[in-house]
């Protein structure tokens, strides 16, 4: 009887441990290692290889992440109202090209499964070299499952999706203030 009880508690412990680990891995939005800036979640100091939880979280969401001295990754799952992105809604990303002080940056749409979203236009991202902006550098990107003119990124028809803002070779002063500096905002285009 004692062996059965011990075995039962051991199995329960293993499943509880797996559940807690899964929750902590997937709960990146509440990780103390990441800052929140508007819609975006990120860090400028990824302790890859030294912090097991953060390394696992980053590996889960960005398998081939570069070290922080080369690239900074910011993720967004929610609009400016705090609601999860839904493919059935239309959103606008707005910002200014000069706000992100880096050699190169891009914004990419990923599906709920964290893979690129197949689409007829074969369009997955915009970057600081291919965005159409006004003379002051202001830009807007429409996120929609329905084709749009101009800066349009296709989203899945009805599923949740994610955004990833990659910043390569960012200016050091800019990166030090990244948690509070203006970044592109993502707003739901309410009907």
């Amino acid at each position: 009887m004692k062996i059965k009880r011990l075995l039962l508690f051991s199995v329960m412990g293993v499943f509880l441990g797996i559940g807690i680990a899964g929750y902590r891995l997937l709960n990146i939005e509440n990780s103390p290692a990441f800052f929140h800036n508007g819609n975006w979640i990120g860090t400028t100091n990824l302790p890859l290889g030294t912090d097991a939880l953060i390394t696992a979280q980053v590996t889960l969401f960005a398998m081939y992440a570069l070290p922080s001295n080369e690239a900074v990754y910011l993720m967004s799952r929610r609009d400016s109202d705090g609601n999860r992105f839904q493919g059935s809604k239309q959103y606008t990303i707005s910002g200014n090209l000069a706000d992100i002080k880096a050699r190169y940056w891009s914004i990419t749409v990923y599906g709920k499964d964290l893979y690129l979203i197949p689409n007829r236009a074969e369009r997955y991202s915009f970057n600081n070299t291919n965005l159409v902006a006004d003379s002051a550098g202001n830009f807007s990107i429409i996120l929609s499952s329905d084709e749009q003119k101009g800066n349009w990124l296709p989203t899945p028809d009805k599923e949740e999706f994610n955004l990833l803002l990659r910043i390569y070779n960012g200016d050091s002063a800019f990166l030090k203030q990244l948690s509070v500096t203006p970044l592109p905002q993502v707003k739901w285009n309410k009907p």
Side-chain angles (χ1 to χ4, degrees), residues 18-28 30 57:
I18 290 170
I20 291 169
Y23 172 77
R24 296 226 23 229
L25 281 173
L26 296 172
N27 195 19
I28 195 167
N30 295 315
Q57 286 175 322

Side-chain angles (χ1 to χ4, degrees), residues 13-158:
V14 167
F15 281 108
L16 181 62
I18 290 170
I20 291 169
Y23 172 77
R24 296 226 23 229
L25 281 173
L26 296 172
N27 195 19
I28 195 167
E29 289 179 300
N30 295 315
S31 172
F34 298 94
F35 63 77
H36 292 258
N37 181 340
N39 306 84
W40 304 99
I41 303 163
T43 182
T44 56
N45 185 21
L46 280 177
L48 295 176
T50 58
D51 183 304
L53 177 61
I54 292 172
T55 301
Q57 286 175 322
V58 170
T59 302
L60 184 64
F61 293 101
M63 192 175 299
Y64 301 107
L66 294 171
S68 298
N69 63 339
E70 294 182 45
V72 173
Y73 305 92
L74 304 172
M75 185 177 76
S76 183
R77 293 176 163 179
R78 301 178 184 280
D79 63 25
S80 59
D81 294 326
N83 298 314
R84 193 77 172 83
F85 293 133
Q86 297 291 327
S88 58
K89 297 179 180 177
Q90 186 181 87
Y91 302 87
T92 300
I93 303 173
S94 57
N96 188 285
L97 292 172
D99 284 345
I100 302 175
K101 294 167 180 46
R103 181 174 296 153
Y104 179 85
W105 59 265
S106 67
I107 297 175
T108 308
V109 177
Y110 289 95
K112 186 178 180 180
D113 60 1
L114 302 175
Y115 286 97
L116 293 173
I117 300 163
N119 64 81
R120 285 191 308 241
E122 294 185 359
R123 187 179 298 171
Y124 309 100
S125 68
F126 279 102
N127 61 63
N128 58 313
T129 65
N130 69 1
L131 265 170
V132 176
D134 67 17
S135 59
N138 298 310
F139 67 85
S140 293
I141 302 171
I142 301 296
L143 302 171
S144 174
S145 59
D146 297 321
E147 187 171 347
Q148 306 291 314
K149 293 184 180 191
N151 298 327
W152 164 61
L153 284 176
T155 61
D157 188 28
K158 294 181 180 153

